[in-house]
Amino acid sequence: MIRTKVKIWDWVDLTPPVTTAVATPVEGGWNVALAATDDISGIHATFYRLDSGRIENFEGPFFIAKGTASSLTFFSVDVDNNTEKWQTIALK
């Protein structure tokens, strides 16, 4: 008889992460910061796009010049591949 140990996890992460955006008006545009949280598996990545442009990997705060975009869309994915619904804020 062969015995093996099998680890059974105590939880299953089915909850997507939550991302918040802060777009602070400054001279000539906005300073933007995104912050994501996931209490179970952790954050894998956070993404954003301006208007209907290319999806970018968020790597840290960035500047958006006035007149270059009217909206910021963002979302995060956790380590267990749960994807947050896309959120959009207007840049006015």
Side-chain angles (χ1 to χ4, degrees):
M1 172 189 265
I2 298 174
R3 288 189 178 194
T4 60
K5 286 187 176 183
V6 176
K7 179 163 177 108
I8 298 175
W9 294 102
D10 296 332
W11 74 91
V12 175
D13 183 2
L14 301 176
T15 305
V18 175
T19 307
T20 56
V22 176
T24 305
V26 294
E27 185 176 337
W30 296 267
N31 285 330
V32 176
L34 302 175
T37 59
D38 185 277
D39 294 337
I40 300 175
S41 63
I43 299 298
H44 171 68
T46 298
F47 302 95
Y48 71 93
R49 76 175 178 191
L50 302 176
D51 293 333
S52 59
R54 205 173 76 194
I55 296 172
E56 303 283 346
N57 188 20
F58 176 71
E59 296 178 0
F62 59 97
F63 177 77
I64 301 172
K66 277 187 181 170
T68 60
S70 61
S71 67
L72 169 69
T73 300
F74 55 94
F75 67 97
S76 293
V77 178
D78 70 16
V79 173
D80 285 336
N81 209 32
N82 296 305
T83 302
E84 174 182 23
K85 289 183 181 180
W86 292 27
Q87 302 180 67
T88 301
I89 60 171
L91 300 170
K92 296 181 183 181

